[in-house]
PDB file of all heavy atoms in Angstrom:
ATOM      1  N   ALA A  26      22.500  74.093  14.079  1.00 98.00           N
ATOM      2  CA  ALA A  26      23.454  73.240  14.903  1.00 98.00           C
ATOM      3  C   ALA A  26      22.941  71.832  15.154  1.00 98.00           C
ATOM      4  O   ALA A  26      21.723  71.678  15.204  1.00 98.00           O
ATOM      5  CB  ALA A  26      23.729  73.999  16.262  1.00 98.00           C
ATOM      6  N   ILE A  27      23.881  70.862  15.226  1.00 98.00           N
ATOM      7  CA  ILE A  27      23.523  69.575  15.571  1.00 98.00           C
ATOM      8  C   ILE A  27      23.861  69.393  17.103  1.00 98.00           C
ATOM      9  O   ILE A  27      25.124  69.321  17.370  1.00 98.00           O
ATOM     10  CB  ILE A  27      24.297  68.585  14.646  1.00 98.00           C
ATOM     11  CG1 ILE A  27      24.039  68.908  13.143  1.00 98.00           C
ATOM     12  CG2 ILE A  27      23.883  67.150  14.987  1.00 98.00           C
ATOM     13  CD1 ILE A  27      24.972  68.155  12.248  1.00 98.00           C
ATOM     14  N   GLY A  28      22.877  69.198  17.864  1.00 97.00           N
ATOM     15  CA  GLY A  28      23.148  69.168  19.286  1.00 97.00           C
ATOM     16  C   GLY A  28      22.927  67.742  19.851  1.00 97.00           C
ATOM     17  O   GLY A  28      22.394  66.836  19.080  1.00 97.00           O
ATOM     18  N   GLY A  29      23.204  67.549  21.096  1.00 95.00           N
ATOM     19  CA  GLY A  29      22.830  66.280  21.827  1.00 95.00           C
ATOM     20  C   GLY A  29      23.764  65.105  21.442  1.00 95.00           C
ATOM     21  O   GLY A  29      23.372  63.931  21.626  1.00 95.00           O
ATOM     22  N   LEU A  30      24.944  65.378  20.802  1.00 95.00           N
ATOM     23  CA  LEU A  30      25.930  64.318  20.472  1.00 95.00           C
ATOM     24  C   LEU A  30      27.154  64.561  21.333  1.00 95.00           C
ATOM     25  O   LEU A  30      27.314  65.498  22.054  1.00 95.00           O
ATOM     26  CB  LEU A  30      26.226  64.304  19.023  1.00 95.00           C
ATOM     27  CG  LEU A  30      25.023  63.930  18.091  1.00 95.00           C
ATOM     28  CD1 LEU A  30      25.409  64.087  16.642  1.00 95.00           C
ATOM     29  CD2 LEU A  30      24.568  62.501  18.403  1.00 95.00           C
ATOM     30  N   SER A  31      28.031  63.501  21.235  1.00 93.00           N
ATOM     31  CA  SER A  31      29.227  63.588  22.136  1.00 93.00           C
ATOM     32  C   SER A  31      28.824  63.561  23.660  1.00 93.00           C
ATOM     33  O   SER A  31      29.451  64.228  24.473  1.00 93.00           O
ATOM     34  CB  SER A  31      30.118  64.683  21.700  1.00 93.00           C
ATOM     35  OG  SER A  31      31.417  64.569  22.384  1.00 93.00           O
ATOM     36  N   VAL A  32      27.750  62.875  23.959  1.00 92.00           N
ATOM     37  CA  VAL A  32      27.280  62.712  25.344  1.00 92.00           C
ATOM     38  C   VAL A  32      27.333  61.262  25.807  1.00 92.00           C
ATOM     39  O   VAL A  32      26.679  60.878  26.777  1.00 92.00           O
ATOM     40  CB  VAL A  32      25.804  63.290  25.476  1.00 92.00           C
ATOM     41  CG1 VAL A  32      25.813  64.793  25.207  1.00 92.00           C
ATOM     42  CG2 VAL A  32      24.892  62.525  24.474  1.00 92.00           C
ATOM     43  N   GLY A  33      28.246  60.494  25.224  1.00 94.00           N
ATOM     44  CA  GLY A  33      28.378  59.127  25.686  1.00 94.00           C
ATOM     45  C   GLY A  33      28.059  58.080  24.577  1.00 94.00           C
ATOM     46  O   GLY A  33      28.260  56.856  24.782  1.00 94.00           O
ATOM     47  N   GLU A  34      27.467  58.481  23.459  1.00 96.00           N
ATOM     48  CA  GLU A  34      27.062  57.472  22.432  1.00 96.00           C
ATOM     49  C   GLU A  34      28.299  56.986  21.742  1.00 96.00           C
ATOM     50  O   GLU A  34      29.396  57.545  21.701  1.00 96.00           O
ATOM     51  CB  GLU A  34      26.154  58.170  21.474  1.00 96.00           C
ATOM     52  CG  GLU A  34      26.761  59.120  20.355  1.00 96.00           C
ATOM     53  CD  GLU A  34      27.137  60.436  20.974  1.00 96.00           C
ATOM     54  OE1 GLU A  34      26.730  60.797  22.071  1.00 96.00           O
ATOM     55  OE2 GLU A  34      27.859  61.214  20.251  1.00 96.00           O
ATOM     56  N   PRO A  35      28.143  55.780  21.113  1.00 96.00           N
ATOM     57  CA  PRO A  35      29.329  55.191  20.343  1.00 96.00           C
ATOM     58  C   PRO A  35      29.677  56.099  19.205  1.00 96.00           C
ATOM     59  O   PRO A  35      28.847  56.860  18.671  1.00 96.00           O
ATOM     60  CB  PRO A  35      28.704  53.880  19.807  1.00 96.00           C
ATOM     61  CG  PRO A  35      27.651  53.578  20.734  1.00 96.00           C
ATOM     62  CD  PRO A  35      27.070  54.836  21.170  1.00 96.00           C
ATOM     63  N   LYS A  36      30.991  56.018  18.809  1.00 96.00           N
ATOM     64  CA  LYS A  36      31.452  56.906  17.795  1.00 96.00           C
ATOM     65  C   LYS A  36      30.729  56.686  16.444  1.00 96.00           C
ATOM     66  O   LYS A  36      30.492  57.734  15.743  1.00 96.00           O
ATOM     67  CB  LYS A  36      32.918  56.606  17.555  1.00 96.00           C
ATOM     68  CG  LYS A  36      33.609  57.607  16.721  1.00 96.00           C
ATOM     69  CD  LYS A  36      33.896  58.939  17.415  1.00 96.00           C
ATOM     70  CE  LYS A  36      34.962  58.753  18.433  1.00 96.00           C
ATOM     71  NZ  LYS A  36      35.348  60.137  19.099  1.00 96.00           N
ATOM     72  N   ARG A  37      30.330  55.555  16.145  1.00 97.00           N
ATOM     73  CA  ARG A  37      29.655  55.285  14.892  1.00 97.00           C
ATOM     74  C   ARG A  37      28.259  56.043  14.894  1.00 97.00           C
ATOM     75  O   ARG A  37      27.807  56.504  13.802  1.00 97.00           O
ATOM     76  CB  ARG A  37      29.466  53.750  14.718  1.00 97.00           C
ATOM     77  CG  ARG A  37      28.464  53.124  15.644  1.00 97.00           C
ATOM     78  CD  ARG A  37      28.249  51.668  15.414  1.00 97.00           C
ATOM     79  NE  ARG A  37      27.346  51.010  16.441  1.00 97.00           N
ATOM     80  CZ  ARG A  37      27.755  50.540  17.589  1.00 97.00           C
ATOM     81  NH1 ARG A  37      29.034  50.606  17.928  1.00 97.00           N
ATOM     82  NH2 ARG A  37      26.919  49.975  18.334  1.00 97.00           N
ATOM     83  N   ASP A  38      27.669  56.149  16.044  1.00 98.00           N
ATOM     84  CA  ASP A  38      26.364  56.879  16.063  1.00 98.00           C
ATOM     85  C   ASP A  38      26.590  58.371  15.913  1.00 98.00           C
ATOM     86  O   ASP A  38      25.761  59.005  15.305  1.00 98.00           O
ATOM     87  CB  ASP A  38      25.694  56.581  17.481  1.00 98.00           C
ATOM     88  CG  ASP A  38      25.072  55.221  17.580  1.00 98.00           C
ATOM     89  OD1 ASP A  38      24.860  54.662  16.593  1.00 98.00           O
ATOM     90  OD2 ASP A  38      24.981  54.787  18.735  1.00 98.00           O
ATOM     91  N   LEU A  39      27.670  58.866  16.447  1.00 97.00           N
ATOM     92  CA  LEU A  39      28.045  60.220  16.224  1.00 97.00           C
ATOM     93  C   LEU A  39      28.136  60.628  14.688  1.00 97.00           C
ATOM     94  O   LEU A  39      27.575  61.509  14.170  1.00 97.00           O
ATOM     95  CB  LEU A  39      29.347  60.652  16.905  1.00 97.00           C
ATOM     96  CG  LEU A  39      30.066  61.984  16.519  1.00 97.00           C
ATOM     97  CD1 LEU A  39      29.159  63.077  16.927  1.00 97.00           C
ATOM     98  CD2 LEU A  39      31.413  62.059  17.239  1.00 97.00           C
ATOM     99  N   VAL A  40      28.896  59.698  14.003  1.00 97.00           N
ATOM    100  CA  VAL A  40      29.057  59.823  12.532  1.00 97.00           C
ATOM    101  C   VAL A  40      27.730  59.688  11.850  1.00 97.00           C
ATOM    102  O   VAL A  40      27.411  60.495  10.949  1.00 97.00           O
ATOM    103  CB  VAL A  40      30.099  58.885  11.994  1.00 97.00           C
ATOM    104  CG1 VAL A  40      30.174  58.955  10.505  1.00 97.00           C
ATOM    105  CG2 VAL A  40      31.471  59.114  12.638  1.00 97.00           C
ATOM    106  N   GLU A  41      27.007  58.664  12.206  1.00 98.00           N
ATOM    107  CA  GLU A  41      25.699  58.442  11.461  1.00 98.00           C
ATOM    108  C   GLU A  41      24.660  59.569  11.716  1.00 98.00           C
ATOM    109  O   GLU A  41      23.951  59.968  10.721  1.00 98.00           O
ATOM    110  CB  GLU A  41      25.075  57.108  11.944  1.00 98.00           C
ATOM    111  CG  GLU A  41      25.848  55.846  11.472  1.00 98.00           C
ATOM    112  CD  GLU A  41      25.375  54.592  11.991  1.00 98.00           C
ATOM    113  OE1 GLU A  41      24.311  54.652  12.757  1.00 98.00           O
ATOM    114  OE2 GLU A  41      25.995  53.502  11.722  1.00 98.00           O
ATOM    115  N   MET A  42      24.601  60.018  12.954  1.00 98.00           N
ATOM    116  CA  MET A  42      23.648  61.131  13.126  1.00 98.00           C
ATOM    117  C   MET A  42      24.064  62.426  12.477  1.00 98.00           C
ATOM    118  O   MET A  42      23.252  63.191  12.026  1.00 98.00           O
ATOM    119  CB  MET A  42      23.483  61.342  14.707  1.00 98.00           C
ATOM    120  CG  MET A  42      22.855  60.200  15.406  1.00 98.00           C
ATOM    121  SD  MET A  42      21.271  59.618  14.771  1.00 98.00           S
ATOM    122  CE  MET A  42      21.701  58.229  13.827  1.00 98.00           C
ATOM    123  N   THR A  43      25.391  62.623  12.409  1.00 98.00           N
ATOM    124  CA  THR A  43      25.829  63.856  11.737  1.00 98.00           C
ATOM    125  C   THR A  43      25.413  63.756  10.213  1.00 98.00           C
ATOM    126  O   THR A  43      24.918  64.684   9.660  1.00 98.00           O
ATOM    127  CB  THR A  43      27.375  64.028  11.845  1.00 98.00           C
ATOM    128  OG1 THR A  43      27.690  64.125  13.195  1.00 98.00           O
ATOM    129  CG2 THR A  43      27.825  65.167  11.140  1.00 98.00           C
ATOM    130  N   GLU A  44      25.674  62.634   9.585  1.00 97.00           N
ATOM    131  CA  GLU A  44      25.267  62.367   8.217  1.00 97.00           C
ATOM    132  C   GLU A  44      23.827  62.580   8.052  1.00 97.00           C
ATOM    133  O   GLU A  44      23.255  63.274   7.085  1.00 97.00           O
ATOM    134  CB  GLU A  44      25.770  61.032   7.778  1.00 97.00           C
ATOM    135  CG  GLU A  44      27.180  60.884   7.559  1.00 97.00           C
ATOM    136  CD  GLU A  44      27.580  59.504   7.136  1.00 97.00           C
ATOM    137  OE1 GLU A  44      26.706  58.579   7.234  1.00 97.00           O
ATOM    138  OE2 GLU A  44      28.710  59.271   6.550  1.00 97.00           O
ATOM    139  N   ALA A  45      23.021  62.015   8.944  1.00 96.00           N
ATOM    140  CA  ALA A  45      21.529  62.057   8.890  1.00 96.00           C
ATOM    141  C   ALA A  45      21.036  63.539   8.882  1.00 96.00           C
ATOM    142  O   ALA A  45      20.139  63.834   8.087  1.00 96.00           O
ATOM    143  CB  ALA A  45      20.892  61.221   9.955  1.00 96.00           C
ATOM    144  N   VAL A  46      21.597  64.379   9.728  1.00 98.00           N
ATOM    145  CA  VAL A  46      21.199  65.697   9.798  1.00 98.00           C
ATOM    146  C   VAL A  46      21.698  66.625   8.706  1.00 98.00           C
ATOM    147  O   VAL A  46      21.044  67.493   8.127  1.00 98.00           O
ATOM    148  CB  VAL A  46      21.525  66.378  11.206  1.00 98.00           C
ATOM    149  CG1 VAL A  46      21.172  67.771  11.279  1.00 98.00           C
ATOM    150  CG2 VAL A  46      20.786  65.540  12.290  1.00 98.00           C
ATOM    151  N   ALA A  47      23.045  66.477   8.467  1.00 95.00           N
ATOM    152  CA  ALA A  47      23.690  67.392   7.489  1.00 95.00           C
ATOM    153  C   ALA A  47      22.986  67.323   6.104  1.00 95.00           C
ATOM    154  O   ALA A  47      22.864  68.364   5.458  1.00 95.00           O
ATOM    155  CB  ALA A  47      25.148  67.085   7.327  1.00 95.00           C
ATOM    156  N   GLY A  48      22.429  66.210   5.807  1.00 92.00           N
ATOM    157  CA  GLY A  48      21.753  66.089   4.470  1.00 92.00           C
ATOM    158  C   GLY A  48      20.451  66.792   4.384  1.00 92.00           C
ATOM    159  O   GLY A  48      19.923  67.012   3.260  1.00 92.00           O
ATOM    160  N   VAL A  49      19.896  67.229   5.508  1.00 97.00           N
ATOM    161  CA  VAL A  49      18.641  67.915   5.555  1.00 97.00           C
ATOM    162  C   VAL A  49      18.806  69.359   5.689  1.00 97.00           C
ATOM    163  O   VAL A  49      17.944  70.111   5.236  1.00 97.00           O
ATOM    164  CB  VAL A  49      17.717  67.356   6.794  1.00 97.00           C
ATOM    165  CG1 VAL A  49      16.405  68.051   6.878  1.00 97.00           C
ATOM    166  CG2 VAL A  49      17.547  65.862   6.663  1.00 97.00           C
ATOM    167  N   LEU A  50      19.885  69.821   6.317  1.00 98.00           N
ATOM    168  CA  LEU A  50      20.120  71.286   6.524  1.00 98.00           C
ATOM    169  C   LEU A  50      20.373  72.014   5.259  1.00 98.00           C
ATOM    170  O   LEU A  50      21.037  71.464   4.302  1.00 98.00           O
ATOM    171  CB  LEU A  50      21.278  71.461   7.512  1.00 98.00           C
ATOM    172  CG  LEU A  50      21.122  70.735   8.830  1.00 98.00           C
ATOM    173  CD1 LEU A  50      22.256  71.016   9.751  1.00 98.00           C
ATOM    174  CD2 LEU A  50      19.864  71.354   9.517  1.00 98.00           C
ATOM    175  N   PRO A  51      19.892  73.256   5.194  1.00 98.00           N
ATOM    176  CA  PRO A  51      20.188  74.073   4.033  1.00 98.00           C
ATOM    177  C   PRO A  51      21.715  74.213   3.676  1.00 98.00           C
ATOM    178  O   PRO A  51      22.474  74.450   4.612  1.00 98.00           O
ATOM    179  CB  PRO A  51      19.537  75.402   4.300  1.00 98.00           C
ATOM    180  CG  PRO A  51      18.636  75.200   5.401  1.00 98.00           C
ATOM    181  CD  PRO A  51      19.187  73.976   6.180  1.00 98.00           C
ATOM    182  N   SER A  52      22.020  74.189   2.439  1.00 97.00           N
ATOM    183  CA  SER A  52      23.492  74.331   2.103  1.00 97.00           C
ATOM    184  C   SER A  52      23.941  75.704   2.113  1.00 97.00           C
ATOM    185  O   SER A  52      25.157  75.935   2.126  1.00 97.00           O
ATOM    186  CB  SER A  52      23.675  73.773   0.672  1.00 97.00           C
ATOM    187  OG  SER A  52      22.896  74.455  -0.251  1.00 97.00           O
ATOM    188  N   ASP A  53      23.083  76.721   2.175  1.00 97.00           N
ATOM    189  CA  ASP A  53      23.521  78.107   2.178  1.00 97.00           C
ATOM    190  C   ASP A  53      23.493  78.680   3.610  1.00 97.00           C
ATOM    191  O   ASP A  53      23.459  79.966   3.754  1.00 97.00           O
ATOM    192  CB  ASP A  53      22.604  78.958   1.242  1.00 97.00           C
ATOM    193  CG  ASP A  53      21.211  78.912   1.666  1.00 97.00           C
ATOM    194  OD1 ASP A  53      20.781  78.214   2.571  1.00 97.00           O
ATOM    195  OD2 ASP A  53      20.373  79.784   1.048  1.00 97.00           O
ATOM    196  N   ARG A  54      23.488  77.836   4.594  1.00 98.00           N
ATOM    197  CA  ARG A  54      23.621  78.304   5.957  1.00 98.00           C
ATOM    198  C   ARG A  54      24.734  77.457   6.668  1.00 98.00           C
ATOM    199  O   ARG A  54      24.914  76.228   6.370  1.00 98.00           O
ATOM    200  CB  ARG A  54      22.293  78.132   6.715  1.00 98.00           C
ATOM    201  CG  ARG A  54      21.181  78.985   6.224  1.00 98.00           C
ATOM    202  CD  ARG A  54      21.366  80.415   6.527  1.00 98.00           C
ATOM    203  NE  ARG A  54      20.173  81.150   6.187  1.00 98.00           N
ATOM    204  CZ  ARG A  54      20.067  81.828   4.984  1.00 98.00           C
ATOM    205  NH1 ARG A  54      20.916  81.587   4.031  1.00 98.00           N
ATOM    206  NH2 ARG A  54      18.950  82.518   4.799  1.00 98.00           N
TER     207      ARG A  54
END
């Protein structure tokens, strides 16, 4: 899970952090 977002940060940061993490997480989970 990607936690700690949607807590007041700008929308662009939500998108950028999601991209940053998704690229590291295993594709088979």
Side-chain angles (χ1 to χ4, degrees):
I27 304 169
L30 294 174
S31 195
V32 292
E34 76 282 352
K36 190 75 72 175
R37 65 178 181 275
D38 288 338
L39 167 62
V40 173
E41 289 176 3
M42 294 305 101
T43 302
E44 288 182 342
V46 175
V49 178
L50 298 179
S52 61
D53 61 352
R54 295 289 186 271

